[in-house]
Amino acid sequence: MTVVNDLVLYAHRMIGDHLAFGTTGNLSVRDENVLWITPSGVPFEDVDSDNVVGVDIASGNIIEGRARPSSELPLHLTLYRQRSDIGAIVHTHSEYATIFAALGEPIVPVHYQMALSAYQVNCAEYATYGTEQLAHNALAALGPNDRAVLLKNHGLVTVGPTLSSAYQAALDVEWMARLLFRARCVGNPRVLTLEEVDHVREQFRHYGQNPQD
C-alpha cells in the first residue's frame, strides 16, 4: 500500500534529519477514513509495514496491525476529525523547535521562508503527552491556515495535505527555529510584518516549475 510505504520511508528519515532521537515523535497519514500511524516505542529505523497501525478515524478503533499505535493517537485523531484539509501529521522533538516550546514562545518570522508554514508558529498550552487535553490545546493553537504548532515543554507538530508537505514543514520550522535562536544570540533580529509575509505567500504562488494561476 502506497501510503504505508510512504509512512515507513519518512519514519526512516526522522533520525538522520535530526527531527527526533530514540523513539520520540511520530507520524501519520490519512487514507480516506483510516489513519496509518507509527507504532509506540519502536525505533524509527525499525518501523515497517508489519508494525504500522491502521486506525478508523471516526471510531478510533484499530482495524489493522498488531502493534500498539503511538501514544499520541488522540492528537492525530483530533486533528484529522476537525481539519478535513489535513492529510498527514508529523510530530517531532527537534532540538531548536523544542527550545522555543520549552520557553513557551512562538517562533516568529525573521525570514520569509516562514510564509510556507504560518505567519508565526504558535505555542499550545502544556498538557501531559498522549492526552485528549493535549490534542485540544494543539487544535486551539493551530491557526486554520497554519501548518505548524508548538506544544509547550514538549515539541512540534506539523500538518499538510500530504506526508511530504507535512514533513517539509517540520524541516522548515526547525531551520527557522535554529536561525531565530542564533540571531538572538547575536542581537535583536527584525521580525517580518504580517503584510510582508502575505506578499511572500503571493510570490510563492508563482515559484517553481508548476506555479499556481
Side-chain angles (χ1 to χ4, degrees):
M1 186 179 298
T2 301
V3 292
V4 171
N5 292 339
D6 287 347
L7 189 62
V8 171
L9 175 66
Y10 280 100
H12 289 176
R13 289 182 53 182
M14 288 282 279
I15 302 297
D17 286 338
H18 306 290
L19 294 181
F21 62 92
T23 60
T24 64
N26 37 78
L27 307 88
S28 71
V29 61
R30 186 202 296 262
D31 183 21
E32 296 184 354
N33 299 320
V34 176
L35 71 84
W36 295 91
I37 191 167
T38 48
S40 177
V42 175
F44 286 107
E45 62 269 22
D46 294 334
V47 172
D48 58 33
S49 58
D50 291 330
N51 54 35
V52 167
V53 184
V55 180
D56 180 77
I57 293 174
S59 68
N61 294 330
I62 296 173
I63 59 173
E64 191 161 339
R66 297 185 299 275
R68 290 176 57 201
S70 167
S71 58
E72 293 296 359
L73 178 61
L75 171 67
H76 292 251
L77 285 170
T78 295
L79 293 180
Y80 285 127
R81 288 168 178 168
Q82 299 299 321
R83 288 273 299 268
S84 61
D85 60 305
I86 294 177
I89 299 168
V90 175
H91 170 43
T92 81
H93 293 183
S94 53
E95 181 177 2
Y96 286 90
T98 304
I99 287 172
F100 285 92
L103 292 169
E105 293 184 14
I107 300 172
V108 295
V110 294
H111 190 282
Y112 67 78
Q113 193 74 13
M114 180 68 92
L116 292 171
S117 302
Y119 169 65
Q120 66 177 28
V121 182
N122 296 322
C123 192
E125 287 301 317
Y126 179 79
T128 303
Y129 83 91
T131 62
E132 296 287 348
Q133 186 61 55
L134 177 64
H136 172 79
N137 292 353
L139 178 65
L142 183 67
N145 299 311
D146 292 351
R147 290 195 176 184
V149 64
L150 294 171
L151 308 178
K152 187 178 287 187
N153 299 103
H154 186 155
L156 171 70
V157 175
T158 59
V159 302
T162 64
L163 186 53
S164 62
S165 63
Y167 196 90
Q168 186 60 50
L171 293 172
D172 288 346
V173 172
E174 176 63 7
W175 179 84
M176 180 66 65
R178 183 166 62 249
L179 178 68
L180 176 58
F181 176 89
R182 290 177 172 174
R184 282 187 176 178
C185 289
V186 177
N188 187 25
R190 177 180 179 271
V191 178
L192 295 172
T193 66
L194 179 58
E195 181 180 24
E196 287 169 330
V197 172
D198 284 342
H199 287 164
V200 171
R201 288 200 181 104
E202 181 61 24
Q203 285 290 90
F204 276 143
R205 292 182 63 244
H206 309 289
Y207 178 79
Q209 299 303 308
N210 296 294
Q212 302 174 35
D213 294 330

